[in-house]
């Protein structure tokens, strides 16, 4: 059995950033295991002009280690694009460029092992470590050990029950949109269900196709408007480490209420994309003979079926009036987001992970899961703690701070200096003045 201090499972941006920061910690042995043969990032939505919604400083390392050799600026310098990036005066990288940066960083981290699938994790109380059973792409079985695990397996595409009964030829999730471009182009009518940035970007693509004589397009969302991301400065302070720390102190029912109310912080649409949609709609007015375009918000899709002609029929409810109507289309694009995937490899230790009143992991401020008494190892989570740390948990700009927090906890010292004040706003109530 090969022993390590930390084994991180999954290699998306968060665990890749963990490996990058760990490289700067003397004496720390960290290994990242990834099932896929290479790093890819949202390839199904990699539109040519798609841009990041966070600026380049929200890379793997900069917000806690600005001089790190795996920063985005070092990547630009290594690629001989630093000067042209500066002249560009747009500090939001394209999505394609960000993926290239991630792959550049992964190639410089020998601690990252692709084609390594984790099958089971066991807690062994004698030596007090987690035994990690994995298999390499060539079929070789490995048995590894670590006192700390970091789960970064990402989320899975979510299709709601109302749409789940549609056959594959009538339904796709935004995560596979570009992979199924031929199905989109061959449809007479394509309907996007759900909003958010992904739904809006698909609508941009559909409108572009429509103005060139392509299919009819429709957009249905249950949100009360096609709402923008709230990207105003003081509202953005609710995505900072300071607010995350405050959020964790609140009672469970308050956290759940706030997470529902704050949907525009992470489910809204960038104003640039909304402007692009409106411009395309405006240009359509100058052309004749195009297929129809339909936009409706405040719509709940309650059921879906296939009619005698083989088309998808959505049973919809108008939320303001309660009116029920049918919507017929050839292809449904589910812009219905992602959900945390329960890691099957944790089944042997699942009984050791403590849960809250709604069956979710109880997560400490340092992002470790509360474990049963007597378990001295630790399991940390990345992007699986919205319920405990708030809606900023999936944000790329929190990744470096969370990883630094995890590494400080693992080493038992301040390996990285964390921001002491990341917001001007004070989120807590003032101390009560004692009665005279």
């Amino acid at each position: 059995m090969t022993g390590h201090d930390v084994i991180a499972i999954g290699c998306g941006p968060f665990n890749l950033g963990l490996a990058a920061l760990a490289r700067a910690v003397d004496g720390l042995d960290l290994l990242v295991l990834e099932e896929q043969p290479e790093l890819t990032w949202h390839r199904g939505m990699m539109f040519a002009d798609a841009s990041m919604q966070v600026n380049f400083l929200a890379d793997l390392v900069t917000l806690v280690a600005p001089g790190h050799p795996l920063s985005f600026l070092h990547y630009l310098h290594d690629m001989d694009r630093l000067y042209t990036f500066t002249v560009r005066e747009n500090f939001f990288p394209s999505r394609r460029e960000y993926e290239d940066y991630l792959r550049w960083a992964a190639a410089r981290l020998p601690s990252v092992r692709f084609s390594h699938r984790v099958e089971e994790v066991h807690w062994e109380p004698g030596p007090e470590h987690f035994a990690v059973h994995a298999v390499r792409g060539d079929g070789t079985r490995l048995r590894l050990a670590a006192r700390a695990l970091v789960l970064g397996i990402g989320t899975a595409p979510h299709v709601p029950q109302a749409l789940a009964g549609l056959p594959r030829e009538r339904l796709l999730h935004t995560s596979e949109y570009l992979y199924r471009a031929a199905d989109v182009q061959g449809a007479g009518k394509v309907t996007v269900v759900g909003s958010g940035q992904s739904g809006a970007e698909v609508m941009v693509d559909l409108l572009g196709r429509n103005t060139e004589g392509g299919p009819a397009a429709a957009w249905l969302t249950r949100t009360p408007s096609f709402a923008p991301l709230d990207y105003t400065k003081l509202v953005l302070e609710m995505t900072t480490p300071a607010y995350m720390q405050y959020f964790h102190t609140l009672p469970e029912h308050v956290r759940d209420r706030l997470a529902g109310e704050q949907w525009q912080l992470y489910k809204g649409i960038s104003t640039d994309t909304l402007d692009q949609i409106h411009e395309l709609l405006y240009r359509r007015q100058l052309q004749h003979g195009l297929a129809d375009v339909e936009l409706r918000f405040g719509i709940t899709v309650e059921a879906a079926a296939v009619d005698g002609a083989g088309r998808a029929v959505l049973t919809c409810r108008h939320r303001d009036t309660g009116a029920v109507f049918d919507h017929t289309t050839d292809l449904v694009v589910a812009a219905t987001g992602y959900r945390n995937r329960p890691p099957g490899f944790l089944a042997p230790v699942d009984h050791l992970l403590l849960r809250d009143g709604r069956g979710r992991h109880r997560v400490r401020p340092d992002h470790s899961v509360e474990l049963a008494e007597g378990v001295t190892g630790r399991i940390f989570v990345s992007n699986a703690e919205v319920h405990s740390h708030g809606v900023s948990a999936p944000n790329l700009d929190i990744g470096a701070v969370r990883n630094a927090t995890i590494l400080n906890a693992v080493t038992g010292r301040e390996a990285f200096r964390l921001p002491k004040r990341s917001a001007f706003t004070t989120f807590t109530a003032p101390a009560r003045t004692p009665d005279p």
Side-chain angles (χ1 to χ4, degrees):
M1 179 182 291
T2 306
H4 303 273
D5 297 316
V6 182
I7 293 178
I9 303 172
C11 188
F14 293 137
N15 271 354
L16 184 62
L18 182 75
L21 289 178
R23 194 174 85 163
V25 180
D26 291 338
L28 182 66
D29 184 350
L30 179 141
L31 183 68
V32 181
L33 303 178
E34 166 57 47
E35 179 177 1
Q36 298 302 318
E38 62 177 350
L39 191 152
T40 60
W41 192 66
H42 296 301
R43 288 278 177 90
M45 287 289 291
M46 193 68 76
F47 296 109
D49 58 350
S51 176
M52 298 293 293
Q53 294 175 272
V54 293
N55 68 53
F56 73 96
L57 294 175
D59 62 13
L60 299 174
V61 293
T62 294
L63 289 176
V64 293
H68 197 286
L70 294 181
S71 71
F72 186 77
L73 287 180
H74 276 82
Y75 156 77
L76 289 175
H77 182 266
D78 196 45
M79 296 290 107
D80 196 22
R81 289 207 308 272
L82 183 55
Y83 195 87
T84 52
F85 182 81
T86 302
V87 173
R88 178 176 181 248
E89 290 192 345
N90 178 351
F91 296 146
F92 291 81
S94 70
R95 202 173 291 159
R96 192 181 302 276
E97 184 175 33
Y98 188 77
E99 186 198 48
D100 192 63
Y101 159 64
L102 296 179
R103 291 166 66 88
W104 171 86
R108 284 152 180 77
L109 289 167
S111 60
V112 176
R113 309 284 173 82
F114 291 101
S115 298
H116 280 65
R117 186 180 76 253
V118 174
E119 294 189 324
E120 286 186 340
V121 170
H122 297 263
W123 171 248
E124 298 188 347
E128 297 193 332
H129 62 220
F130 292 104
V132 177
H133 298 259
V135 59
R136 282 198 320 226
D138 63 4
T140 302
R141 294 193 171 276
L142 305 172
R143 191 164 182 261
L144 310 168
R147 286 184 50 78
L149 305 178
V150 182
L151 307 183
I153 61 173
T155 52
H158 171 70
V159 175
Q161 190 62 37
L163 297 176
L166 288 175
R168 176 171 170 77
E169 62 268 21
R170 295 289 172 235
L171 175 69
L172 65 89
H173 189 271
T174 52
S175 61
E176 56 178 341
Y177 181 78
L178 291 179
Y179 296 126
R180 295 184 60 185
D183 293 339
V184 173
Q185 191 60 29
K189 181 177 182 179
V190 182
T191 298
V192 180
V193 175
S195 58
Q197 185 65 23
S198 294
E201 289 180 6
V202 167
M203 200 63 197
V204 168
D205 183 72
L206 290 174
L207 287 172
R209 294 172 185 269
N210 178 268
T211 58
E212 295 175 357
W219 192 8
L220 310 176
T221 176
R222 66 180 180 181
T223 54
S225 67
F226 296 111
L229 278 171
D230 198 334
Y231 224 70
T232 50
K233 298 295 187 290
L234 290 179
V235 169
L236 280 178
E237 295 208 332
M238 296 170 68
T239 68
T240 59
Y243 185 76
M244 182 177 275
Q245 293 160 12
Y246 162 72
F247 187 93
H248 191 275
T249 67
L250 298 172
E252 180 183 326
H253 71 279
V254 176
R255 295 199 301 258
D256 289 343
R257 174 178 61 80
L258 289 175
E261 293 173 354
Q262 294 168 0
W263 64 273
Q264 253 182 282
L265 289 176
Y266 67 112
K267 290 185 178 180
I269 304 162
S270 79
T271 54
D272 287 345
T273 306
L274 288 171
D275 290 347
Q276 194 175 2
I277 289 172
H278 192 273
E279 180 65 18
L280 287 165
L281 291 169
Y282 182 81
R283 291 178 188 176
R284 287 186 78 257
Q285 297 177 116
L286 304 177
Q287 296 175 253
H288 301 285
L290 298 178
D292 291 339
V293 169
E294 176 185 1
L295 279 71
R296 298 182 188 274
F297 57 73
I299 303 297
T300 298
V301 177
E302 297 186 334
V306 177
D307 67 11
R311 303 185 77 195
V313 180
L314 308 182
T315 303
C316 304
R317 183 177 298 276
H318 188 258
R319 293 169 69 90
D320 288 346
T321 63
V324 176
F325 64 96
D326 288 339
H327 176 90
T328 302
T329 188
D330 295 296
L331 184 64
V332 176
V333 180
T336 46
Y338 298 78
R339 297 290 186 274
N340 289 116
R341 62 181 98 196
F345 56 78
L346 284 185
V349 296
D350 188 68
H351 64 290
L352 302 176
L353 280 64
L354 303 186
R355 302 180 182 274
D356 66 14
R358 295 178 60 181
R360 301 166 300 194
H361 294 149
R362 283 163 39 184
V363 186
R364 299 184 181 95
D366 65 2
H367 306 278
S368 64
V369 178
E370 292 187 33
L371 301 176
E373 186 176 354
V375 179
T376 56
R378 284 182 286 188
I379 298 176
F380 297 87
V381 292
S382 285
N383 190 16
E385 72 273 46
V386 167
H387 64 286
S388 60
H389 286 69
V391 297
S392 61
N395 289 4
L396 291 173
D397 52 6
I398 207 69
V401 174
R402 173 171 50 212
N403 285 334
T405 302
I406 291 171
L407 292 173
N408 286 354
V410 167
T411 60
R413 58 187 173 87
E414 191 181 56
F416 296 94
R417 181 167 62 87
L418 298 174
K420 298 296 187 291
R421 184 172 187 183
S422 55
F424 294 113
T425 306
T426 301
F427 303 111
T428 57
R432 184 173 184 178
T433 304
D435 295 329

